[in-house]
Amino acid sequence: MKLLIPCFLLISVLGFSQETEKRGTIKIEKSNCVRLENNDSIYAFVDQMPEYRGGQDSLLLWFSKNLKYPKILVEESAKATVFASFIVLKDGSISDIKIFKANNSPFEIEALRLLNMMPDWIPGRCSGTLADVKINLPIKFGLK
């Protein structure tokens, strides 16, 4: 039987276009922190970006332990990449989860389920102060 192993591609903060859904511009401050233009309380980039507790390896392990690969797609060996965004709040909790170009595919539903149950992160900091930060995260599903 095929071993189900999700493949998750985590791209650096700048690599997946940290901008608003409306393709708005961003404000760069003296501290090198970048706020979203349409929301002065949320950052796109900060001095110390939010991090999943334990780092990327722990995040990948958490995803693989909690993933329920859509059964209907196992036989087809279907693959997909779901592009999601969320805000890591000052307390480390996850908020405002969104799926880009959502069409309610089984992969998108599973990605949303996983993100809604994700444990708290280590929050981001701008000039030493806790900050709300938007994260864009592509989640790649596949069978190996």
Side-chain angles (χ1 to χ4, degrees):
M1 183 167 137
K2 293 182 181 178
L3 181 63
L4 297 179
I5 300 176
C7 299
F8 299 99
L9 177 60
L10 303 177
I11 299 178
S12 70
V13 176
L14 297 176
F16 178 52
S17 177
Q18 292 287 355
E19 58 185 46
T20 65
E21 288 181 21
K22 296 179 182 178
R23 302 276 181 211
T25 58
I26 52 179
K27 297 178 186 177
I28 299 176
E29 301 177 355
K30 289 182 181 178
S31 66
N32 294 326
C33 295
V34 180
R35 291 183 191 263
L36 298 177
E37 184 175 290
N38 66 340
N39 191 328
D40 282 342
S41 65
I42 300 175
Y43 290 86
F45 182 79
V46 290
D47 301 322
Q48 182 182 343
M49 290 299 291
E51 180 180 347
Y52 185 82
R53 296 184 188 281
Q56 281 188 352
D57 290 341
S58 292
L59 177 60
L60 294 173
L61 181 61
W62 183 86
F63 270 118
S64 66
K65 284 183 178 179
N66 292 285
L67 174 71
K68 294 180 182 173
Y69 200 90
K71 291 180 183 179
I72 194 167
L73 302 173
V74 170
E75 294 174 7
E76 300 172 12
S77 297
K79 298 177 184 179
T81 301
V82 175
F83 296 94
S85 73
F86 54 88
I87 308 295
V88 177
L89 300 175
K90 295 173 188 171
D91 65 1
S93 63
I94 304 301
S95 170
D96 198 30
I97 299 168
K98 294 185 177 151
I99 304 295
F100 293 96
K101 299 180 184 176
N103 61 11
N104 283 336
S105 78
F107 291 117
E108 292 168 346
I109 293 167
E110 179 59 10
L112 189 59
R113 185 190 72 80
L114 286 167
L115 292 172
N116 275 310
M117 63 184 270
M118 184 180 291
D120 290 351
W121 286 41
I122 298 168
R125 292 182 176 269
C126 178
S127 299
T129 303
L130 293 173
D132 297 338
V133 182
K134 181 177 181 180
I135 300 293
N136 290 310
L137 182 71
I139 304 170
K140 191 171 185 177
F141 291 87
L143 296 173
K144 286 189 177 183

